[in-house]
Amino acid sequence: METESPKPKKMRFPYREILITLVIALIIFLVAQATVQSVKVVGASMEPNVHNGQYLVVSKVAYWFHPPRRGDVVVFHSPQNPDQDIIKRVIALPGETVEIKGGKVYINGTPLEEPYIAEEPRYDLPPQYVSEDCYFVLGDNRNYSSDSHVWGVVPEKNIIGKAWICYWPPSEWQSISGHSFDED
């Protein structure tokens, strides 16, 4: 009795597997593009908390379910130059009045506790009403920041997302947390 040797299977190019891999890679890429963004910090306006040259991950989904909150560190398109992305802290919300006097920030006449700033501001700002769908933002390094006290409020549509994590340099890995406020 003779046994037949098995016929060698033909090598076929795995088109289906390659196509599936490419589709999965495309889906992962699109989800990442829709949910996070990397930004480089330029300048010292957010010191002592965020430094020049750091790279941050920005969560674009942070505001899908709720609007920005006071204390959030946000990245947005500059109202003056939409091609430039800026990082600042949300200070006043839509419908509020903000004022800066005597080294303190006041929201609706109440002084704001700000343990995150480098030093108290050495400038004053008369009361400013923050219109609907806009936010008043300031840098943590108040006296060395071009922000809402100089060029006005940021429209909500300009906000890219909430600063989430510093990933570069590795020695400065950290979560970028907003300051929580009792009233929010």
Side-chain angles (χ1 to χ4, degrees):
M1 186 181 218
E2 254 180 64
T3 60
E4 287 185 30
S5 61
K7 292 182 183 177
K9 290 186 177 181
K10 287 185 180 177
M11 287 291 283
R12 63 173 212 196
F13 197 71
Y15 291 112
R16 183 171 181 234
E17 288 81 8
I18 290 174
L19 181 61
I20 290 170
T21 301
L22 289 174
V23 168
I24 290 171
L26 178 63
I27 290 169
I28 291 170
F29 173 78
L30 292 174
V31 167
Q33 287 293 312
T35 59
V36 294
Q37 179 175 326
S38 175
V39 297
K40 180 180 181 182
V41 176
V42 178
S45 71
M46 286 300 292
E47 289 186 2
N49 302 299
V50 181
H51 308 284
N52 184 49
Q54 285 183 315
Y55 284 85
L56 310 177
V57 174
V58 176
S59 170
K60 294 180 179 182
V61 299
Y63 301 127
W64 288 2
F65 305 107
H66 65 80
R69 296 177 176 145
R70 186 180 347 276
D72 286 357
V73 176
V74 296
V75 175
F76 55 93
H77 301 299
S78 166
Q80 299 170 303
N81 179 4
D83 294 332
Q84 180 185 17
D85 294 340
I86 300 175
I87 183 169
K88 303 290 179 200
R89 189 177 300 272
V90 174
I91 300 300
L93 308 173
E96 295 182 330
T97 299
V98 61
E99 179 180 13
I100 302 172
K101 64 181 178 181
K104 292 278 186 204
V105 174
Y106 293 84
I107 305 297
N108 296 330
T110 303
L112 187 62
E113 288 295 320
E114 300 186 287
Y116 46 77
I117 62 173
E119 62 182 349
E120 292 180 343
R122 293 187 299 258
Y123 55 83
D124 289 339
L125 179 77
Q128 308 274 316
Y129 177 76
V130 181
S131 58
E132 293 303 315
D133 298 323
C134 289
Y135 293 85
F136 189 91
V137 297
L138 294 173
D140 290 352
N141 194 359
R142 296 287 154 81
N143 297 306
Y144 302 97
S145 179
S146 176
D147 47 36
S148 287
H149 91 276
V150 175
W151 37 256
V153 296
V154 175
E156 185 172 22
K157 66 180 178 157
N158 287 30
I159 296 175
I160 296 167
K162 183 177 182 178
W164 182 27
I165 297 169
C166 171
Y167 68 91
W168 193 263
S171 62
E172 296 180 25
W173 282 4
Q174 65 178 337
S175 171
I176 308 297
S177 61
H179 183 75
S180 61
F181 292 90
D182 293 333
E183 70 230 35
D184 287 344

